[in-house]
Amino acid sequence: MEETALSKTDSAPQEAQENEASKLIRLATEINTIKEQTRAAVKSATLEIGKRLVEAKAVVPHGGWGYWLEQNVDYSERTAQLIMSVWERFGSGQTKLFGKEPDAALVAKLNRSQLVALMSIKDEEECMNFMEEHKDDLADMSKRELEKAIKERDEAKRGLDKWRQEADLANEAAQNAIDKRNKLRLELDSLREDHEAEIEDLRKRLKEAEEAPIDVMPTDESETVKELREKIAALEKERDARTTAEKAFARHFENIKGEYAAMRQEIASMSDEKAAKYRAAMQKLFSTMAEAV
């Protein structure tokens, strides 16, 4: 009898502990259930309010929307617009003729704060793309985590846009250099043609002078013949020099194009921070080159 009483006495604290543990599990489950129900209710209410605001705005006389909101529902126009936008993007269920539609199953898992955070992505198609990229963890993101992911996405997009602008500037500078090269080539071709014509004329005159009758030529070599020979030599030298300069220019130009392509390839393999630094250096270089030419 004593052992039985002692056994009951020892087991009582253990049963109390188990009951307390079970109670805590039950309370946590109930709390989370209420939280989930509240989340769903708040989101549903937001969408329903947005739907009715859209209907109301269509009826309120022009110019009276702000006053109607203030007097009847105590919303600012900015707040009302945000709620209506949330409804139009995520709750209207309208089939779009163009662009992507939100994933209904994914939207169902999101809360009001997450939907509002997603509205900071102004372009609807970009928003759908963002949701698709993060569909596996989007529902579990806190408001802060989601805002951070969107901020990082915006910064990456700005970086890409800046890089494209810099690339466009570099391409424009390269095209300007090509245009100048082509213009120079045309000028050189024109000069070469002029020189060839002048050289040919001088050669003809030289031949006539050399074939002139002996009796009309002085004892010493004619000054005219000397001058013609000197002019021909000078023109040929100038023509050859221009041709050499043109070839050298073309070689240097091709080298620059090759180095430009190599620099872009190297930048593509860098981190975003380092890439931004070297893109800025490239932009400065090409801007300086464009001003110089």
Side-chain angles (χ1 to χ4, degrees):
M1 292 292 292
E2 291 180 0
E3 289 182 2
T4 303
L6 182 60
S7 176
K8 288 181 179 181
T9 302
D10 292 341
S11 63
Q14 183 177 357
E15 291 177 358
Q17 290 176 1
E18 290 176 351
N19 289 336
E20 288 176 357
S22 298
K23 182 177 182 179
L24 289 175
I25 293 173
R26 175 179 60 79
L27 290 173
T29 300
E30 291 175 355
I31 290 170
N32 288 325
T33 299
I34 294 170
K35 283 173 59 181
E36 179 62 22
Q37 291 173 343
T38 302
R39 179 195 69 80
V42 170
K43 184 184 76 173
S44 177
T46 300
L47 294 174
E48 290 299 326
I49 290 172
K51 176 182 178 181
R52 286 159 177 77
L53 284 171
V54 170
E55 294 176 357
K57 189 174 183 180
V59 179
V60 172
H62 179 72
W65 178 236
Y67 179 79
W68 186 88
L69 289 171
E70 181 182 355
Q71 296 297 314
N72 293 277
V73 294
D74 195 24
Y75 280 154
S76 67
E77 289 191 50
R78 181 178 180 181
T79 299
Q81 184 57 52
L82 177 60
I83 296 174
M84 289 190 293
S85 297
V86 171
W87 155 252
E88 289 168 344
R89 182 174 293 186
F90 299 111
S92 65
Q94 294 181 358
T95 302
K96 295 180 176 63
L97 184 60
F98 301 104
K100 297 181 179 180
E101 296 184 16
D103 185 337
L106 179 58
V107 172
K109 298 177 183 178
L110 303 180
N111 58 40
R112 179 183 183 275
S113 296
Q114 290 169 325
L115 294 181
V116 170
L118 288 169
M119 292 304 299
S120 65
I121 304 177
K122 302 304 181 184
D123 186 89
E124 188 168 348
E125 185 167 357
E126 290 183 6
C127 179
M128 299 303 109
N129 290 336
F130 178 88
M131 293 174 66
E132 179 66 22
E133 291 171 5
H134 296 81
K135 63 181 180 180
D136 294 333
D137 53 1
L138 185 61
D140 296 325
M141 285 184 176
S142 66
K143 182 174 181 286
R144 178 171 296 182
E145 290 172 338
L146 183 53
E147 289 174 342
K148 180 182 178 182
I150 293 173
K151 181 180 179 181
E152 291 173 350
R153 172 256 179 200
D154 291 342
E155 289 175 350
K157 185 175 182 296
R158 283 193 294 270
L160 179 59
D161 290 342
K162 183 179 179 181
W163 164 238
R164 285 174 176 166
Q165 291 174 359
E166 292 170 352
D168 288 342
L169 289 173
N171 289 333
E172 184 179 355
Q175 186 60 50
N176 288 338
I178 291 173
D179 293 341
K180 288 181 179 295
R181 181 197 65 177
N182 292 337
K183 182 179 179 181
L184 178 59
R185 177 172 293 169
L186 291 173
E187 291 175 354
L188 288 172
D189 289 341
S190 177
L191 287 171
R192 186 185 297 115
E193 292 174 359
D194 293 342
H195 277 58
E196 291 295 344
E198 188 173 356
I199 290 171
E200 184 62 28
D201 180 64
L202 289 173
R203 283 176 177 166
K204 182 179 178 181
R205 290 165 56 190
L206 175 61
K207 184 177 179 181
E208 291 174 351
E210 289 175 337
E211 293 177 351
I214 302 270
D215 58 353
V216 300
M217 293 186 65
T219 305
D220 296 330
E221 186 177 18
S222 170
E223 289 297 321
T224 302
V225 172
K226 285 184 179 180
E227 291 174 359
L228 289 172
R229 285 176 176 167
E230 290 173 358
K231 286 182 179 180
I232 290 172
L235 286 171
E236 288 178 337
K237 183 178 180 181
E238 183 178 354
R239 177 199 62 192
D240 294 340
R242 289 183 182 275
T243 302
T244 301
E246 180 185 9
K247 291 179 179 178
F249 178 88
R251 183 176 66 256
H252 295 318
F253 183 81
E254 292 302 322
N255 288 341
I256 290 175
K257 285 174 61 179
E259 290 299 326
Y260 168 69
M263 286 190 291
R264 289 191 63 179
Q265 186 175 0
E266 294 298 336
I267 286 177
S269 65
M270 296 178 184
S271 65
D272 292 341
E273 182 178 354
K274 288 185 177 180
K277 175 183 175 181
Y278 287 102
R279 287 189 193 114
M282 280 183 68
Q283 184 180 17
K284 184 176 180 180
L285 171 63
F286 285 113
S287 295
T288 302
M289 290 172 62
E291 291 174 1
V293 298

